[in-house]
Every structure is written in C-alpha cells, then in structure tokens.
Amino acid sequence: MQAYKLAREFYAEVLPAVRRTAWPERSVADQLIRAASSIMLNIAEGAGEYSSPEKARFYRMARRSAWECAAILDVLEVGNPNRAEFLAHQHSTLDQISALLTTMVRSRT
C-alpha cells in the first residue's frame, strides 16, 4: 500500500532527525514522532478492517495525523530556519500521503 510505504519513509526520516537535533521546542518535536507513528498505525488498522465505513474512519484519522505533522513542521521551522530544506521535503511527503489517504477515504464512502 503506497500510503503506508510513504508514511513509513516519513517516520524513518523524522525519527532520527528529531533524536539527533537539539530542537528548542523539544515537546513539539516529540509530538511529531507520536503523530508520525499515528499515520502508520491508523493506515494499518484501516487495512485490517472489513467494513468500508470503518476503513474510511481509520484512513481519515491517518489523514488528520498527517495534517498534524504538517503543522508541527511549521512550528519547528519558525524556530529553526536552517532546517527549512529538510522540513520542506517532509511537507512534500506529507502532501503525497494526504492525497493518497483522501483517495482511499473517498473510495470507501
């Protein structure tokens, strides 16, 4: 599943970046890890459902977590302009994930 694959790649990129960088907004950076894992977990839960409405519900939750990640990246970028290139790449990945999840939700409703 492409959305899950991209979500895993996103998580694999942000986890070490958060761990190795001394972000002044530590609690916000930690929230990024939680929200990024939530994308993957909700996609997996949705994939395991039989009911189309339930699948769509989990995919919507995953999409909301992707949007949360995007907002967190914005917060981190304000305080860390030297990380703008890394953060822009992550925004692009989140845009792709969100588009795929939107398609997945619409195909279930």
Side-chain angles (χ1 to χ4, degrees), residues 9-23 26 29-30 32-33 73 76 80 83 86-87 90:
E9 289 172 12
F10 175 76
Y11 183 80
E13 289 179 9
V14 298
L15 180 63
V18 167
R19 286 185 174 165
R20 75 173 171 264
T21 304
W23 298 99
R26 188 75 224 170
D30 290 341
L32 178 60
I33 299 292
L73 292 176
L76 293 174
N80 302 280
R83 303 287 294 177
F86 169 78
L87 298 171
Q90 301 312 320

Side-chain angles (χ1 to χ4, degrees), residues 66-98:
W67 281 91
E68 179 182 7
C69 286
I72 293 168
L73 292 176
D74 286 343
V75 169
L76 293 174
E77 186 174 10
V78 167
N80 302 280
N82 60 329
R83 303 287 294 177
E85 185 177 331
F86 169 78
L87 298 171
H89 171 71
Q90 301 312 320
H91 270 293
S92 175
T93 302
L94 289 168
D95 286 344
Q96 293 174 52
I97 293 167
S98 182

